[in-house]
């Protein structure tokens, strides 16, 4: 496999494939990752808030059964491996998108597997806000809704950004995985050429691109998180 | 006026119940600076949190200007809390907001327009001596400055009462004094009633007019500061006034007359006060105990001195009190 990588003839062939396909594949990967992250946040962030404020002694305690149902659903979805989840939600994907195969269709299982993850990440970010700070807001006459919008969320922005970065990079990995069963993008190229047709150079290049994308997202996210954090003095 | 009537608070935990407050009754006049002092775990924080209903009393009531705070709806209580604001040991500033926005916070909650809130906040930052710091973030300020921001924030909604829970306990003595001075200023200029929770005698002595001593959830003594501290009656009060077994020493010394001297930022490092008292006035004192420390040029702490005659003790009080930052009072033997 390694020796094959450096065979000039194979390299030339791989280069042709790369030139003709990688721009579109990279775009597909980015588009699926970002859209899936967006929708997963739309569902996951409010759930994360509920997990924190709704518990006993929280800012807006909810009935115990609601919290239990919420926790069970999140834990359940989090424990199903992504590939299996993809297959399980095929009927749902068909109902929403019209087909279960293709780049756009892979967004549905990605969102379903990512929103519980994002809910947990948001939960842990919001829990970092000190109870003393919340008590301060209560002592000034803040309503539960004001505590959520003016204290809990704004005070945990840097941590939310860090955790969101973890979510994006993880979803990027899942996007690549979705190439195995019909998803598009870099994952599909890696599987199609590398696994089915033994063109390892192409697979290798796809993997390198994925690594580069993860690096870009991670360093961008870390930078923004640090920049947004007003607790750090030496900037 | 705030009336606390037969207030009790019991916490139920998994394996036992804690009676944090037992039948506490106090009344606090408008415009007073009222200290609540006690050892750690005495129930001070619980008491102050019951005053603004952050903690619901198990029994009893808190009446402010005739209104029973325990009977208010959530919405009414939130409005009432704009009149009873609070500062904390840990300042509890919003770390992601700059000073100006921190002070605007309670005004935003109350629904004030942005420009009006901004103008009020700038004015208050000026009042607390932080003009020009409006764009600084809390992390860029010293502890004393952070507490000033918290005070400005607490004043924003023009409260009638300011609750201070160990507001100076995280600060060094010099900063403590400057914060206490600010609180006294606010009390005088704005007429705000101040309730000060502390475990430090020096805090009560330097600004409070009345004091309640809280001991294991009960009020041990209450009254004017001078009165309570010069005639401590209960063991809890004696332990606060005379740490390190001072009260046993007094009881054991028949025929000695005691005075207690408190140094609160007195500039006496340069001139040995007790020695000059002996030289100038011929008043020779026995030092029973001294627990003082100097910070910079200033001295903080207290001493217990004894004299051969009542007359000498009284003269020594007069001599010592003449110095800035020194309090001296006779100690009555009970
Ligand atoms: N939320 C709570 N649950 C259980 N016990 C508590 C709670 N808050 C305070 N206590 C207990 O009540 C007592 C008084 O506490 P506190 O009012 O904080 O004392 P202080 O402020 O005087 O140090 C302590 O024994 C403390 O452990
Ligand atoms: Mg306390």
């Amino acid at each position: 496999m390694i020796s094959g990588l450096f065979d000039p003839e194979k390299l030339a062939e791989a280069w042709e494939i790369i030139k003709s396909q990688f721009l579109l594949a990279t775009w597909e990967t980015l588009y699926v990752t970002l859209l899936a992250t967006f929708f997963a946040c739309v569902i996951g962030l409010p759930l994360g808030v509920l997990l924190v404020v709704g518990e006993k002694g929280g800012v807006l305690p909810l009935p115990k059964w609601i919290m239990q149902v919420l926790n069970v659903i999140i834990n359940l979805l989090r424990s199903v491996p992504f590939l299996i989840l993809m297959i399980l939600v095929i009927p749902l994907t068909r109902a929403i998108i019209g087909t279960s195969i293709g780049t756009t269709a892979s967004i549905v299982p990605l969102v379903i597997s990512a929103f519980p993850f994002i809910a947990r990440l948001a939960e842990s970010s919001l829990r970092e806000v000190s109870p003393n700070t919340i008590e301060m807001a209560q002592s000034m006459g803040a309503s539960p809704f004001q505590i959520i919008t003016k204290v809990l969320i704004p005070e945990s922005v840097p941590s939310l950004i860090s955790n969101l970065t973890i979510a994006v990079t993880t979803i990027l990995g899942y996007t690549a995985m979705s190439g195995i069963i019909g998803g598009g993008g870099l994952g599909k190229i890696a599987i199609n050429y590398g696994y089915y047709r033994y063109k390892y150079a192409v697979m290798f290049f796809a993997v390198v691109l994925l690594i580069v994308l993860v690096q870009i997202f991670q360093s961008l996210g870390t930078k923004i998180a640090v920049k947004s954090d007003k607790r750090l003095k030496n900037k | 006026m705030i009336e606390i009537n037969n207030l009790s608070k019991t916490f139920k935990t998994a394996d036992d119940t804690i009676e944090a407050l037992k039948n506490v009754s106090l009344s606090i006049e408008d415009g007073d600076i009222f200290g609540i002092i006690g050892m750690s775990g005495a129930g001070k924080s619980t008491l102050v949190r019951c005053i603004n209903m952050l903690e619901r009393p198990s029994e009893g009531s808190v009446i402010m200007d005739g209104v029973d705070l325990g009977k208010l709806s959530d919405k009414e209580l939130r409005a009432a809390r704009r009149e009873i604001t609070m500062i904390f040991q840990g300042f509890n500033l919003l770390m992601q907001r700059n000073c100006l926005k921190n002070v605007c916070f309670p005004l935003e909650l109350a629904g004030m327009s942005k420009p009006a809130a901004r103008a009020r906040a700038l004015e208050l930052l000026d009042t607390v001596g932080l003009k020009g710091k409006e764009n600084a973030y809390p992390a860029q300020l010293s502890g004393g400055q952070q507490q000033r921001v918290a005070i400005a924030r607490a004043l924003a909604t023009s409260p009638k009462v300011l609750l201070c829970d160990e507001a100076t306990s995280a600060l060094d003595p010099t900063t403590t004094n400057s914060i206490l001075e600010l609180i006294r200023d606010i009390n005088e200029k704005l007429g705000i009633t101040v309730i000060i929770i502390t475990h430090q005698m020096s805090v009560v002595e330097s600004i409070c007019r009345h004091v309640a001593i809280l001991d294991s959830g009960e009020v041990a003594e209450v009254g004017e500061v001078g009165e309570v501290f010069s005639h401590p009656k209960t063991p809890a009060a004696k332990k606060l006034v005379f740490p390190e077994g001072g009260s046993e020493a007094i009881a054991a010394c028949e025929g000695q007359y005691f005075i207690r001297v408190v140094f609160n930022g007195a500039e006496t490092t340069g001139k040995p006060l007790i020695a000059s008292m002996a030289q100038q006035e011929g008043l020779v004192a026995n030092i029973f105990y001294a627990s003082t420390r100097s910070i910079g040029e200033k001295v903080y702490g207290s001493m217990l001195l004894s004299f051969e005659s009542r007359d000498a003790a009284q003269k020594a009080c007069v001599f010592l009190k003449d110095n800035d930052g020194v309090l001296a009072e006779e100690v009555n033997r009970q």
Side-chain angles (χ1 to χ4, degrees), chain B residues 39-46 48-49 89 165-166 197:
Chain B
M39 303 284 167
S40 173
K44 308 179 295 292
S45 295
T46 307
V48 79
R49 274 158 186 72
Q89 177 169 7
D165 188 3
E166 303 275 8
I197 303 290

Side-chain angles (χ1 to χ4, degrees), chain A residues 156-212:
Chain A
S156 45
V157 160
S159 168
L160 282 170
I161 293 173
S162 298
N163 274 337
L164 202 66
T165 307
I166 296 177
V168 172
T169 51
T170 307
I171 293 172
L172 188 77
Y174 284 178
T175 305
M177 239 193 271
S178 75
I180 295 179
I181 49 168
L186 294 170
K188 179 171 139 192
I189 290 188
I191 295 284
N192 280 357
Y193 290 92
Y195 186 67
Y196 294 123
R197 294 191 234 163
Y198 309 107
K199 295 191 195 312
Y200 295 120
V202 178
M203 182 171 82
F204 181 76
F205 191 71
V207 170
V208 168
L209 256 179
L210 282 170
I211 293 171
V212 169

